[in-house]
Amino acid sequence: MSEGQKKPKYSATRRLLLKTKLLKKAGIMLVAEFADKKRERESALNERAPPLKLSGLSVQELQDLCKDLHKKIDIVDETRYDMEIKVGKNDLEIQSLNQKIDEIKGSKKPTLKRVKKSAADALSGAMADTGKMKADFTSGLKKVKKEEEKKEEVTDWRKNVDAMSGMEGRKKLFDAGK
């Protein structure tokens, strides 16, 4: 036998039988767990809020009972409100701590956008694969004509100042501008 094909320890019928037994046992345990939770809930409710005995009570006793129940309701509402405030504060603290953790770890990496491959990328990828093709990456670019700058000859400035002094020099500049 090759290593890829190993003989199973149990036959298919045995595995199916074990699987069905496990599922039956799990179903029975689930039903029992549900019944336990229901009993726990009922006992907790009976402990916290015992059933009211209203038969045979006078009007005054009923009013006292209502006032007592209102006081209990107020206490429960206050504790619920306090708990909500604590939960809100804890949520804000958790959020700020998470932000600090992110800052400590470093800046978040931005989400990258998909970019289509250009012709140059495709050519470079093909060139890397084959190694035979020579790529000309400037083929898709515009040709720009370069203008040569006119360079003036650098001469001694003192000679230039003497030549341009007076009215004759200004006339030369004016004539050169035409």
Side-chain angles (χ1 to χ4, degrees):
M1 279 191 189
S2 66
E3 291 183 32
Q5 292 179 336
K6 291 186 177 181
K7 188 174 182 181
K9 290 183 178 181
Y10 302 109
S11 66
T13 56
R14 178 77 175 152
R15 280 184 277 154
L16 184 62
L17 178 67
L18 290 173
K19 188 176 179 181
T20 55
K21 284 184 178 182
L22 282 174
L23 286 174
K24 283 181 186 178
K25 182 70 173 174
I28 292 169
M29 290 173 70
L30 189 64
V31 169
E33 184 180 345
F34 181 72
D36 287 343
K37 283 185 180 180
K38 190 173 183 180
R39 272 189 258 119
E40 285 178 17
R41 182 172 183 261
E42 288 175 3
S43 65
L45 282 175
N46 288 335
E47 182 182 314
R48 290 182 186 161
L52 296 175
K53 297 177 184 172
L54 300 176
S55 61
L57 294 178
S58 67
V59 175
Q60 183 62 32
E61 291 173 341
L62 286 173
Q63 288 177 347
D64 291 339
L65 181 64
C66 286
K67 288 178 184 178
D68 186 40
L69 288 175
H70 279 290
K71 287 179 186 177
K72 287 181 181 179
I73 289 171
D74 288 341
I75 292 169
V76 169
D77 281 342
E78 287 175 9
T79 56
R80 182 184 54 83
Y81 178 76
D82 292 340
M83 292 286 198
E84 286 177 359
I85 296 297
K86 285 181 183 178
V87 167
K89 285 181 182 178
N90 287 341
D91 286 343
L92 289 175
E93 185 177 348
I94 289 170
Q95 192 175 23
S96 68
L97 290 174
N98 283 336
Q99 286 177 350
K100 287 181 182 178
I101 288 171
D102 289 341
E103 289 173 3
I104 290 171
K105 284 183 179 178
S107 62
K108 290 184 179 180
K109 294 180 182 177
T111 56
L112 300 176
K113 296 179 182 177
R114 280 192 169 229
V115 178
K116 293 183 180 179
K117 278 190 167 186
S118 65
D121 291 339
L123 285 176
S124 67
M127 190 174 83
D129 291 341
T130 61
K132 297 177 183 176
M133 197 167 86
K134 197 173 195 182
D136 183 21
F137 295 111
T138 59
S139 62
L141 301 176
K142 286 184 178 179
K143 302 294 181 190
V144 178
K145 294 181 181 177
K146 294 182 180 177
E147 294 181 19
E148 294 182 20
E149 295 179 20
K150 296 178 182 176
K151 294 185 178 179
E152 296 179 17
E153 291 183 25
V154 178
T155 58
D156 190 15
W157 61 274
R158 287 170 277 189
K159 292 179 184 176
N160 198 16
V161 169
D162 291 337
M164 296 295 172
S165 63
M167 287 300 286
E168 294 172 8
R170 291 197 179 127
K171 185 179 178 192
K172 287 180 188 174
L173 284 175
F174 182 73
D175 290 339
K178 286 183 182 181

